[in-house]
Amino acid sequence: MSRDGTIAIIGAGIAGAAAARRLYEAGRRVTVLDKGRAPGGRMATRRGPDGLRFDHGAQYFTARDPRFIARVDDWTARGVAAPWGGADRHIGTPGMAAPVRDLLDGLDVRCGRAVGRLVRDGRDWRLAEADGTALSDGAAFSAVLLTCPSPQSLALLDGAGQALPGLAEVAYAACWTLMLAHDGPPLPGGPFREDRDPTAAIAWIAGNGDKPGRDGSGTIVAHASPAWSRANLECGADDVAERLATALRAIVPLGEIRHRAAHRWRYAAVERAVGEACLFAPDAGLGFAGDGCLGPRVEFAYLSGLALAERVLAEAA
Ligand SMILES: Cc1cc2nc3c(=O)[nH]c(=O)nc-3n(C[C@H](O)[C@H](O)[C@H](O)COP(=O)(O)OP(=O)(O)OC[C@H]3O[C@@H](n4cnc5c(N)ncnc54)[C@H](O)[C@@H]3O)c2cc1C
């Protein structure tokens, strides 16, 4: 791995953003690519009709490690995050992706770029779409840091004839998310219901509109349980939205439904993590970070991205 080349980071979620910010602050050149329309990954806020907005991925994050606490304190002081619902819960403001965007501020970030291939070029890497079209104007990268969920990272590594030991062991639970707006009474602030019964259709319910920085409307986000999500993984989104809305009505008083939609997260929550802060193969110039390393939390993904950046910097020291 050359010590002064540009580093490509695939994935603009919290892990990729944490790695990118740390490397940038240490004077390294980074390019971040994400297949989505905007940074954030699973820290996401989706727009519905009539200005409705739903935090349809991560609902909140906690902060227990001093490094992440310092980051969250800074975000809170600058209005990028706010406490929500007590018990060390924080959210991005005005949307969940705000902290990720803040970390990436001023960096070279390219969204709408789905990396399909890693192409070895001497000691460097070049990136291409699945059909072989060059990405980043064919630029050469001294290292590639993968921060997409492990199945997507593995596919890229396999295609390049590479491997990172431990990565294949990571397993994720899927999650169907219901986004609903209705004319009934708003739910009380904070998480309304967390149900650990594995047979329940709905595992989590929260009023979305009352979160700090949101629009105050009667919007609700409900996550289906891992078991229900797995059993209905390949069902259509409209059908899932209808059935989850029916299940929700049995739990909370709903008025007339103005909007309902469902989103499928194929890789939502890590069920089995690597158990190391990150994976790094300096000779190949390849690394992996994300919640797949330490577990299913925003904070763990942030710390994993930070750890990978530190490994890269230590290698270059
Ligand atoms: C429904 C749901 C609820 C959750 N609730 C909570 C919660 O309450 N609290 C909590 O702490 N955590 C929660 N989480 C987990 C949390 O969101 C994740 O742990 C964290 O956001 C993972 O960050 P990451 O950077 O590792 O991955 P991601 O956020 O998934 O980022 C990976 C990025 O890689 C991009 N990508 C993938 N493939 C490619 C490719 N080929 N080319 C380019 N880009 C690519 C994706 O577009 C994505 O932006 C929840 C997650 C979900 C889905």
Side-chain angles (χ1 to χ4, degrees), residues 11 14-15 34-35 41-42 57-58 60 113 115 148 152 223 290-291 298:
I14 188 78
D34 198 290
K35 67 178 182 178
R42 279 169 278 166
Y60 65 88
R113 308 290 203 285
V115 181
C148 25
Q152 293 161 333
H223 293 317
D291 59 354
V298 167

